Structure formats: structure tokens, C-alpha cells
């Protein structure tokens, strides 16, 4: 029912997220080089004349020579924004930008948001129809009923590209998927179930239509609105509602639910009462999808009927009806076969594919990499929104249905190859990061923020707490509550604060630190001074004494300085060396670079250890590691005296017989560029390297910082691994969102 995750954020944090850096959430990036005059001449005049003529001769060539085939317009007039009502076209722009981001994130579909300032149905239809040459598909969003029905139906008749109103059909598809599995678990068949639908808007009507298309009998469905049952002969309903008018003498929702197998709610909070649930059929199926508060809370439904299967639109309950499971992948499949529209066959195929995915046993490697631990049953009838297998399974089902039903103008000849290409479009890291956040919510930890007087740290702590990821433990002085209040926190006293000036834990902390450092030249008063004056020492000792599960610091001091302070309190994990990893995260790839923070001239053994541990991190993040030991030299050309450690590290891995690919010494272009790698057919890498082991700290740190400032990928880290306690040292330039990500990774054990 919803694309949101039901998280709570302060207004300030939400506004800062949208305003910091480049305002908004999207930008246009050229997909071809534009560096030279020749590039520009090919991109525009005179080179552009060649594809122009080709398209004029054959319009289908537009899909070959332009972005049309992977471009969707997200269009709204702002008359029904996220349940907030008619706030106008301009106010809908943040939502439409967000939808465009979801298209790219989940299915690699490029998307542009378009907000149209009109409530005139005919003007809207004309405006959208005129855009057909530009786009491969149209996603209508947040347009109120009944206008949305007229607009979509008319555009489907007039346009030769897919037009899809996600508020209607996305909800319907996910609901149908859940209903398939709920019926399977309760031994029901669609043709026999009796359904009470509460709500008569766009989503409710679309859900009802799709259920009927899938076999639910018209005579077994009773739809209700605010006034009660929509029955045959009732006059105060529109033509779309009257199409589902029931031949019945029941007049209220309570009566409609008597003996019903299914409650389908797309209405208002609290509309379904426990006593109504008690009168439903055995093992009732309840879809309470009002947002943000459902028609009935699952715990109330279960209290009334313990045998009930319950789904909602919320992420904090099992069985979330979330449109993001559908619309990106629906368009991916439709675009890839150049479908002329999205029909019922394609919707049903998507619903069946999503339902089947929930029933599949989660492969062990997926479970390990993505944290997917669900098993098919009453608490899991709908897949998790971040299940990476959705990208392969749903578009291929939609594409096949489009071909089978005659909607495809470019059929796919090799479906196995197509599924492989779908997997290649997405970066596993993004799913792992998303699921890491979900895992943090499921198993919240106490994370210590050592620099609790800094605004960016406080904003991260607020986001960490409000997101439900765990408990922030702040280190700071007495004015921290005032600083929290200034940031919009209404209950700053609810935040745990440790102040070394008045903490009752100080004597115990001094004893611990003195016991640790007394044979390293430190007097007790030195330890007292460090506990009282150094927040990193104070925080690290709190972590060692078990007052937190992980620690984040680094905003106020350089990495090297902070690391020295942390090492006074926390040792490396036994048998490991500490080092840092930078992650370069693109749309379809992730590169892990190590060691970028600590070891100045690692030995061959240390390089091999770094390679093994980084490969383990890569696997935890969903990647099969391919390790390259980098150098200015590729297999001895040019020769140099700095190569011995690298060659020896490769020999160490040979002796250890590790279970991943590795090679070296290699220049970066050979490691990353398949064409260059092809010049060395004896190389042991099956593809471009995704783990880069740097020969020394100087080259590693310079490379990482250059890529952060100049590269096109998002950068995560450095992640500190190899310490006996989960501690992360963030760059001094980190944003609140980056701090939250490091906190989640540290608490979840991915960065270890």
C-alpha cells in the first residue's frame, strides 16, 4: 500500500536531507563522454543528424539511439499526495523525485518527475499524451479518484507505451500476491472466497478488479464506503464503484464481514473492530492497509482471532504491502520487451511471481549475504522489499506475460540470458545496506556516539534513534540536552548522556584504564586526566566495560590521532591486524579498497591478511571477491624493488589455499578494465577485480580521498575492521547520514 518505511524523522533532518549539497534528490548525468570538442560534435551538431535521420526513417530506432527505452515519466498533479490530500502540483515534487529515485535504485530505470499544474482532466490527458515521443512509459502518481480512472483509461487507449497508475495497480498486485499465499496456507481457492472490501477509492477498486480477474467471484465480493455497502440500486456512487455493486441485503461493514474469509481495507484507521474480526470465517485473512495507521493493528486482530493472517502497509509488522515490490520491476519487464501497455496478464504474472518468491526457500548464500531469514508461513506471505531476487524474478515474469499476451514489440529470445542481464544491472551492496538497516531495526543495539556535542553527531544520533535502529549513547557535557532541543527533539531527557565530569562510572573507568596502561609508562593521574578530558578515551572505555555495543567517532580529530587514542583502550582482535576499507559504490558495482587508513608499509603476510579479511567483508556484502594486488607494475613490467612484498603476498595466499580469486602484481587499469586484462590470458581473475589491495598507506589513502572528491561513485567508509570491539572512525567531513550508515554497519557486524 505504501512506498514509505514508516520511520520517524525530525522535520529538520528531513529538510536538511533534501537541501544539503545539490537541492532535491535527482540530477541528469551524461552517459557518453563530453570532454572534447569531438565528443560535443558527435553528441550534438553535426553528429546528431545521423540518428535523427535514422529515427525519421524508422521510429523504432529511437529505442536504439536515445534513452527513450529506459525512461519513465513520473507524473502527478498533486491532488492526492501520500494521504495528505490536495496540496497542489508543486508540493508533490519531492514525492515524485523520490519515486524517480526508487525506479533507479531498485530496477535501474531512469525516471523524470513531471508535475502538471491542472485539475482539468482533459488538459492533463492532452499534456501527457503529447509526451509519448519522449518516454518509454508513464507512471501516474497521487492523482485523486475518480479522475485517475478517466486519465489512465483514456491514455491507455490513446498511447502506444505503458501507462500505469501505481496507487491503483501496484497496491493491487502486492495484495493479490499476499492473498494467493494466504489462501494457500488456509486451504482456500480464489473462486470460493468471500471478500469484504472497505474503501471505494482508486486502490480498492483496482484490488477488487484484479482479484476478480484472477478468479474471485463477483457474487462473493461486497464493497463498502463511508456510508456502508455499495449495493445494486444504490444511487450515490460513481460508475467505477457501481461496477462492483453487490446483490445483497447487507448494508453495513459489520454485516458484510459476517462469515467473510477476507477483509481488504483501504480506508481509515480503526475501521475494523475486534468484534467484527470474531464474526469472520475460520482462519480469517485480514489486509489492513490504511496508512500510517491500519484499520486494525495486527496484535488486536490476533487477540480477537489467533488464527488470523494479517498484512498491513507498515514496515514494523510482518507482511508489508509495499508497492516498491512491484512498480520498478513491472516497468523493467515492460520496457525490456517494448510493451505497448501493461495489461491484466502482466499484472497477474507479477503477482504470481512475487507470491512464488515468498514460498521459495531462501538460498544459503542469499541468507548470509542479505540477512534474509524469513520462512514461508502466516508471518511471511509477502517477500521482504529488499530481497535482491525480485530484480530477476518479477521483470522476467512480466516480460514473458507481455510476449504471451501480444503486448511485446521486441520479444526476448533467450530468457536465461535476460535473467542474467537483470542480475548484472543491480549492485548487491545496495540490497545488503538496505537489509542491514532492517536488521538493525529487528535487533537494535546500543551505539556510542563519542562526540555528542557536535551538531552533525547529534543529528546522526537523532536519526539513529528515530529510525528504530537502536539506542544512541551520547558522550558530552551538560548542554547536550539543550543542543538536542534546538534540533527539534521534544524529549531530550530520553537520550542517554555520559559526562565525565559527573559520571558515577569514572572511578571504575580509571581503574580499568590504569590496569591496562600502568606497564606502558602511564601514572594513575595520567589515566584520570585522559578519562576526564578525552572523549575518545572515555567512550572507548565505556565500550570496553559493556555500556554500549559499538562506537562511532572521528568528526573532530584526524583519523590517525583518533586511532591512536582508541588503540590505548581497544586492542586488535586476536590473530588479526586492524585496517581500513573504503567502499566505492556504483549503480551496478562495488569496489573494496584496502588498507586505506593504518598500515604504512605492510609486510607480505600483512598484505595477505588484509586481502583475506577484505574478501570476507565483500562476501558479507553479497559479492564474490576477485582480489587484485595493485602496483605501478603489471607482472614485472616495469621491474622495481618495491614488488617483492606484493609477489610474496600472492605466494602466501597460494600456500593458504584460500577460496577466492586473486592475482598480482597488477596496475589498476589491468585489474579493472576487461580489455586490458585480456592482454594477460594467464591471469587468474575471471573478471574485473572488486577487491583492491594497495601496496602501502600512502598510495591507498591518496587514492581513496581522490576518488571520494573526484569519482562518480558513492563512497562508504573507511570501515575499520580487525578490532576486538566494533568501533568506527568516520572522516571529519562525514554527514549525519554517513554516520548513521557506519553505526548500522558496526552494530550489525558487517564491518568487523
Amino acid at each position: 500500500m505504501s512506498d514509505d518505511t514508516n520511520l520517524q524523522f525530525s522535520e529538520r533532518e528531513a529538510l536538511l536531507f533534501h537541501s544539503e549539497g545539490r537541492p532535491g534528490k535527482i540530477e541528469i548525468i551524461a552517459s557518453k563522454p563530453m570532454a572534447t570538442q569531438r565528443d560535443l560534435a558527435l553528441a550534438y551538431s553535426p553528429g546528431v543528424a545521423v540518428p535523427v535521420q535514422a529515427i525519421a526513417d524508422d521510429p523504432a530506432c529511437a529505442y536504439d539511439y536515445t534513452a527513450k527505452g529506459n525512461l519513465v515519466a513520473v507524473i502527478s498533479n498533486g491532488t492526492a499526495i501520500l494521504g495528505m490530500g490536495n496540496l497542489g502540483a508543486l508540493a508533490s515534487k519531492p514525492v515524485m523525485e523520490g519515486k524517480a529515485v526508487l525506479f533507479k535504485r531498485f530496477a535501474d530505470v531512469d525516471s523524470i518527475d513531471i508535475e502538471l499544474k491542472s485539475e482539468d482532466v482533459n488538459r492533463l490527458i492532452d499534456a501527457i499524451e503529447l509526451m509519448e515521443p519522449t518516454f518509454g512509459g508513464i507512471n501516474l502518481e497521487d492523482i485523486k479518484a475518480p479522475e485517475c480512472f478517466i486519465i489512465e483509461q483514456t491514455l491507455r487507449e490513446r498511447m502506444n507505451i505503458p501507462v500505469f497508475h501505481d496507487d491503483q495497480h501496484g497496491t493491487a498486485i502486492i495484495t493479490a500476491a499476499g492473498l494467493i499465499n494466504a489462501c494457500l496456507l488456509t486451504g482456500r481457492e480464489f473462486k470460493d472466497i468471500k471478500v469484504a472490501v472497505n474503501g471505494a477509492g482508486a486502490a480498492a477498486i483496482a484490488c477488487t478488479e484484479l482479484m476478480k480477474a484472477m478468479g474471485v467471484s463477483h457474487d462473493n465480493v461486497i464493497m463498502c464506503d463511508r456510508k456502508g455497502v455499495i449495493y445494486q440500486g444504490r444511487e450515490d456512487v460513481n460508475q467505477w464503484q457501481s461496477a462492483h455493486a453487490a446483490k445483497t441485503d447487507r448494508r453495513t461493514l459489520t454485516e458484510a464481514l459476517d462469515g467473510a474469509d477476507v477483509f481488504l481495507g483501504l480506508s481509515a484507521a480503526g475501521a475494523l473492530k475486534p468484534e467484527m474480526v470474531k464474526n469472520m470465517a475460520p482462519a480469517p485473512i485480514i489486509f489492513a492497509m490504511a496508512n500510517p495507521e491500519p484499520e486494525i493493528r495486527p496484535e488486536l486482530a490476533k487477540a480477537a482471532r489467533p488464527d488470523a493472517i494479517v498484512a498491513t502497509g507498515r514496515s514494523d509488522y510482518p507482511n508489508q504491502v509495499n508497492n516498491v515490490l512491484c512498480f520498478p520491476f513491472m516497468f523493467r519487464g515492460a520496457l525490456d520487451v517494448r510493451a505497448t501497455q501493461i495489461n491484466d496478464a502482466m499484472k497477474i504474472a507479477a503477482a504470481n511471481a512475487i507470491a512464488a518468491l515468498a514460498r521459495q526457500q531462501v538460498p544459503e548464500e542469499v541468507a548470509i549475504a542479505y540477512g534474509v531469514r524469513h520462512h514461508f508461513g502466516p508471518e511471511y506471505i509477502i517477500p521482504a522489499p529488499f530481497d535482491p531476487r525480485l530484480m530477476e524474478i518479477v521483470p522476467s515474469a512480466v516480460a514473458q506475460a507481455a510476449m504471451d499476451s501480444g503486448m511485446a514489440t521486441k520479444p526476448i529470445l533467450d530468457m536465461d540470458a535476460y535473467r542474467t542481464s537483470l542480475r548484472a544491472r543491480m549492485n548487491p551492496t545496495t540490497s545488503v545496506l538496505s537489509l542491514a538497516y532492517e536488521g538493525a531495526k529487528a535487533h537494535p543495539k546500543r551505539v556510542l556516539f563519542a562526540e555528542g556535542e557536535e551538531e552533525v553527531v547529534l543529528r546522526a544520533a537523532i536519526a539513529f534513534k528515530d529510525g528504530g535502529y537502536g539506542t544512541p549513547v551520547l558522550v558530552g557535557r551538560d548542554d547536550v540536552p539543550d543542543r538536542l532541543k534546538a534540533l527539534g527533539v521534544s524529549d531530550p531527557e530520553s537520550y542517554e548522556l555520559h559526562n565525565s565530569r559527573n559520571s558515577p562510572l569514572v572511578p571504575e573507568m580509571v581503574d580499568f584504564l590504569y590496569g591496562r596502561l600502568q606497564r606502558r609508562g602511564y601514572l594513575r593521574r595520567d589515566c584520570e586526566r585522559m578519562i576526564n578530558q578525552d572523549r575518545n578515551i572515555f567512550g572507548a572505555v565505556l565500550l570496553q566495560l559493556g555500556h554500549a555495543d559499538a562506537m562511532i567517532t572521528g568528526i573532530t580529530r584526524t583519523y590517525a590521532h583518533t586511532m591512536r587514542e582508541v588503540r590505548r583502550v581497544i586492542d586488535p582482535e586476536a590473530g588479526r591486524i586492524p585496517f581500513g576499507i573504503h567502499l566505492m559504490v556504483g549503480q551496478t558495482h562495488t569496489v573494496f579498497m584496502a588498507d586505506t587508513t593504518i598500515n604504512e608499509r605492510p609486510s607480505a603476510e600483512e598484505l595477505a591478511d588484509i586481502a583475506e579479511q577484505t574478501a570476507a567483508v565483500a562476501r558479507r556484502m553479497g559479492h564474490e571477491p576477485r582480489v587484485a594486488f595493485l602496483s605501478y607494475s603489471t607482472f614485472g613490467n616495469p621491474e622495481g624493488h618495491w614488488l617483492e612484498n606484493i609477489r610474496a603476498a600472492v605466494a602466501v595466499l597460494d600456500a593458504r589455499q584460500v577460496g577466492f580469486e586473486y592475482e598480482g602484481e597488477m596496475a589498476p587499469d589491468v585489474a579493472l578494465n576487461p580489455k586490458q586484462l585480456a592482454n594477460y590470458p594467464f591471469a587468474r581473475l575471471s573478471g574485473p577485480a572488486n577487491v583492491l589491495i594497495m601496496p602501502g598507506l600512502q598510495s591507498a589513502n591518496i587514492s581513496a580521498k581522490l576518488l571520494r572528491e573526484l569519482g562518480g561513485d558513492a563512497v562508504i567508509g573507511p570501515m575499520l575492521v580487525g578490532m576486538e570491539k566494533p568501533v568506527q572512525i568516520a572522516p571529519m567531513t562525514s554527514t549525519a547520514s554517513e554516520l548513521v550508515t557506519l553505526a548500522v554497519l558496526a552494530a550489525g557486524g558487517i564491518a568487523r
Side-chain angles (χ1 to χ4, degrees):
M1 177 58 183
S2 170
D3 297 333
D4 70 276
T5 55
N6 296 297
L7 301 177
Q8 300 299 316
F9 304 100
S10 69
E11 292 184 5
R12 177 183 174 89
E13 189 67 26
L15 292 174
L16 283 170
F17 176 85
H18 284 81
S19 64
E20 284 184 328
R22 184 189 295 266
K25 298 187 285 285
I26 61 175
E27 64 176 317
I28 303 297
I29 298 176
S31 61
K32 301 295 188 293
M34 294 293 158
T36 68
Q37 183 61 38
R38 178 174 176 78
D39 294 337
L40 296 175
L42 285 167
Y44 194 54
S45 181
V48 75
V50 179
V52 165
Q53 188 60 55
I55 294 169
D57 295 339
D58 180 3
C61 288
Y63 289 91
D64 299 320
Y65 302 130
T66 75
K68 176 181 173 71
N70 196 50
L71 190 61
V72 168
V74 178
I75 300 178
S76 181
N77 66 350
T79 52
I81 304 174
L82 289 181
M84 300 169 71
N86 186 350
L87 301 181
L90 187 58
S92 75
K93 187 170 179 64
V95 183
M96 301 311 118
E97 284 189 359
K99 197 80 170 190
V101 169
L102 294 180
F103 267 113
K104 189 65 176 177
R105 157 66 178 82
F106 284 97
D108 194 23
V109 172
D110 296 323
S111 183
I112 299 293
D113 64 293
I114 297 175
E115 295 74 34
L116 297 176
K117 187 181 177 182
S118 177
E119 295 187 26
D120 184 297
V121 168
N122 291 322
R123 291 186 70 192
L124 288 168
I125 290 170
D126 289 342
I128 297 169
E129 182 186 5
L130 291 172
M131 299 179 196
E132 181 170 349
T134 302
F135 297 101
I138 303 291
N139 184 96
L140 302 175
E141 194 79 16
D142 289 357
I143 301 173
K144 68 182 178 71
E147 288 88 339
C148 61
F149 302 123
I150 303 170
I151 292 168
E152 185 192 37
Q153 183 59 40
T154 305
L155 290 173
R156 286 178 54 148
E157 293 169 358
R158 293 187 185 180
M159 301 180 77
N160 207 36
I161 57 175
V163 178
F164 186 82
H165 185 209
D166 183 46
D167 299 325
Q168 294 182 61
H169 307 301
T171 303
I173 290 165
I174 307 307
T175 301
L179 189 56
I180 290 168
N181 284 337
C183 286
L184 183 64
L185 287 169
T186 57
R188 293 178 167 102
E189 295 187 16
F190 267 40
K191 64 182 179 63
D192 300 322
I193 59 174
K194 296 179 180 179
V195 183
V197 180
N198 195 46
I205 289 173
C207 288
T208 303
E209 289 177 344
L210 188 59
M211 280 192 305
K212 290 178 178 179
M214 295 175 69
V216 176
S217 171
H218 176 87
D219 296 333
N220 285 347
V221 179
I222 298 177
M223 180 178 286
C224 303
D225 63 7
R226 292 184 181 89
K227 297 180 180 180
V229 172
I230 297 174
Y231 56 87
Q232 290 185 7
R234 184 176 151 182
E235 296 181 353
D236 59 339
V237 293
N238 61 43
Q239 67 188 76
W240 297 277
Q241 295 165 340
S242 65
H244 301 288
K247 186 177 182 181
T248 181
D249 57 1
R250 303 188 187 197
R251 292 295 182 265
T252 67
L253 176 61
T254 300
E255 293 173 354
L257 280 166
D258 189 11
D261 298 290
V262 179
F263 169 81
L264 194 64
L266 294 128
S267 52
L272 180 62
K273 308 301 182 186
E275 53 269 24
M276 299 179 185
V277 176
K278 291 179 180 179
N279 291 328
M280 294 179 69
I285 299 167
I286 298 170
F287 280 67
M289 296 180 286
N291 255 332
E293 184 65 27
E295 285 83 357
I296 188 170
R297 288 262 181 165
E299 60 267 25
L300 294 177
K302 292 277 192 178
R305 291 293 297 273
D307 58 344
I309 294 177
V310 187
T312 72
R314 295 174 61 110
S315 64
D316 52 350
Y317 288 109
N319 300 325
Q320 184 191 14
V321 179
N322 190 330
N323 289 13
V324 81
L325 285 159
C326 169
F327 72 85
F329 312 113
M330 174 66 72
F331 270 97
R332 178 75 275 152
L335 291 172
D336 290 340
V337 294
R338 299 182 189 173
T340 55
Q341 64 175 251
I342 293 173
N343 60 11
D344 280 350
M346 296 160 72
K347 298 174 199 172
I348 293 170
N352 281 317
I354 293 166
L357 180 59
R359 298 194 300 270
Q360 289 181 16
Q361 181 67 35
V362 179
E364 182 179 359
E365 63 272 18
V366 173
I368 293 171
Y370 298 97
V372 179
R373 296 286 190 271
H374 309 292
H375 299 285
F376 179 58
E379 300 291 294
Y380 186 65
I381 59 172
I382 300 171
F386 301 109
D387 192 317
R389 296 171 296 169
L390 286 161
M391 178 56 168
E392 177 184 354
I393 290 171
V394 180
S396 56
V398 170
Q400 188 64 59
M403 292 187 288
D404 294 343
S405 60
M407 294 296 105
T409 61
K410 186 185 178 184
I412 294 170
L413 302 179
D414 186 340
M415 287 300 293
D416 289 336
Y418 175 57
R419 283 189 285 269
T420 300
S421 72
L422 290 171
R423 288 196 297 270
R425 275 185 175 273
M426 297 309 299
N427 185 349
T429 301
T430 54
S431 291
V432 171
L433 291 175
S434 298
L435 285 165
Y437 276 82
E438 295 298 303
K441 288 165 59 181
H443 305 285
K445 299 292 180 62
R446 293 168 54 82
V447 175
L448 190 146
F449 292 82
E451 298 156 312
E453 296 167 352
E454 303 300 316
E455 179 178 334
V456 67
V457 175
L458 289 176
R459 284 170 42 212
I462 293 167
F464 189 78
K465 181 183 179 185
D466 290 348
Y469 307 125
T471 300
V473 179
L474 299 174
V475 172
R477 300 306 185 192
D478 290 338
D479 64 344
V480 168
D482 294 332
R483 294 172 185 261
L484 287 168
K485 194 170 184 178
L487 291 172
V489 176
S490 60
D491 58 345
E493 66 282 351
S494 68
Y495 283 75
E496 183 176 337
L497 175 64
H498 291 266
N499 182 349
S500 63
R501 290 177 180 172
N502 54 30
S503 173
L505 300 173
V506 166
E508 179 188 6
M509 297 172 72
V510 172
D511 288 343
F512 173 86
L513 189 61
Y514 183 52
R516 177 180 171 82
L517 298 181
Q518 60 190 359
R519 292 185 178 277
R520 302 185 196 177
Y522 290 88
L523 302 176
R524 184 177 181 86
R525 63 173 174 265
D526 296 326
C527 296
E528 290 174 345
R529 176 185 54 78
M530 286 188 286
I531 291 292
N532 288 323
Q533 297 182 10
D534 193 301
R535 66 185 87 186
N536 287 325
I537 298 289
F538 183 81
V541 173
L542 283 175
L543 180 64
Q544 282 282 42
L545 294 177
H547 296 287
D549 299 304
M551 172 177 161
I552 304 296
T553 187
I555 292 298
T556 59
R557 297 183 181 177
T558 64
Y559 194 100
H561 186 102
T562 303
M563 186 62 183
R564 284 195 297 271
E565 293 171 338
V566 169
R567 284 289 298 271
R568 288 176 180 169
V569 182
I570 302 173
D571 290 325
E573 188 175 349
R576 301 177 68 183
I577 61 169
F579 65 94
I581 304 173
H582 274 81
L583 279 68
M584 313 299 168
V585 183
Q587 176 68 24
T588 61
H589 67 274
T590 296
V591 173
F592 301 80
M593 182 185 298
D595 165 29
T596 55
T597 57
I598 295 175
N599 300 286
E600 185 173 357
R601 292 297 302 172
S603 67
E605 288 282 342
E606 289 172 332
L607 284 171
D609 290 342
I610 290 169
E612 278 201 83
Q613 292 178 49
T614 308
V617 172
R619 278 202 168 121
R620 286 197 293 273
M621 302 199 76
H623 298 267
E624 185 57 35
R626 293 186 297 275
V627 176
F629 289 89
L630 293 190
S631 170
Y632 67 90
S633 168
T634 299
F635 302 121
N637 183 20
E639 188 61 68
H641 66 281
W642 293 108
L643 302 180
E644 292 307 315
N645 270 7
I646 302 173
R647 292 175 177 173
V650 173
V652 170
L653 292 185
D654 287 341
R656 293 180 183 177
Q657 296 184 330
V658 296
F660 56 83
E661 296 179 16
Y662 57 92
E663 186 58 283
E665 71 280 359
M666 309 175 76
D669 55 344
V670 177
L672 297 171
N673 189 324
K675 292 182 179 179
Q676 287 279 50
L677 184 61
N679 291 322
Y680 304 91
F682 56 86
R684 294 180 285 189
L685 297 184
S686 61
N690 53 16
V691 175
L692 306 180
I693 305 303
M694 309 297 281
L697 182 59
Q698 188 161 187
S699 58
N701 195 263
I702 290 171
S703 298
K705 289 179 178 177
L706 277 174
L707 288 171
R708 178 184 287 276
E709 298 303 323
L710 300 178
D713 291 348
V715 178
I716 295 175
M719 294 194 319
L720 177 59
V721 301
M723 299 294 285
E724 66 179 359
K725 294 284 186 178
V727 57
Q728 291 299 319
I729 301 173
M732 296 174 68
T733 56
S734 296
T735 65
S737 292
E738 289 168 339
L739 291 176
V740 173
T741 297
L742 279 177
V744 167
L745 293 176
I750 292 177
R752 65 175 188 267

